[in-house]
Amino acid sequence: MSNSLNKAFTGVIALALIVIAVGRIPFSREKELSNLCREYYTMYLNQNDYSLKEKNTKIKVIANKTGLKAETNNVGNFCNSFYFNQR
């Protein structure tokens, strides 16, 4: 009896941890995009410190993560709307 209860509780704990982990996925994606936009703005504000290749690489990464076309205006608009829509 004790062994079956132990297995049942272990199963319930495992399922609870899976539910918690899956619930955290959107939060981590949002924070990743937030960090990428911060890096993009840093590059945008300090244009002399970064090469054109570095800027284009950052734009392509953000475009790939969001499904946008890899253009400066698209990424800039996304990052602006991303920050304005956060609470």
Side-chain angles (χ1 to χ4, degrees):
M1 180 77 177
S2 173
N3 193 16
S4 62
L5 282 175
N6 192 14
K7 287 182 181 180
F9 287 136
T10 303
V12 169
I13 291 170
L15 289 174
L17 288 175
I18 290 171
V19 168
I20 291 170
V22 169
R24 302 283 299 171
I25 290 172
F27 179 77
S28 64
R29 287 183 183 162
E30 180 180 327
K31 289 302 175 187
E32 180 183 14
L33 288 174
S34 175
N35 288 338
L36 288 172
C37 282
R38 283 186 186 128
E39 291 172 4
Y40 170 74
Y41 277 132
T42 301
M43 290 178 158
Y44 180 75
L45 293 174
N46 303 316
Q47 291 186 9
N48 295 334
D49 296 339
Y50 298 97
S51 69
L52 188 59
K53 183 178 178 182
E54 290 174 316
K55 293 175 197 171
N56 287 336
T57 302
K58 185 61 65 182
I59 289 170
K60 286 179 184 177
V61 168
I62 294 172
N64 287 337
K65 298 275 182 186
T66 58
L68 297 170
K69 291 183 181 177
E71 297 174 4
T72 305
N73 290 338
N74 289 340
V75 172
N77 290 338
F78 169 78
C79 287
N80 284 336
S81 67
F82 186 75
Y83 280 120
F84 290 134
N85 291 329
Q86 286 186 349
R87 294 183 182 192

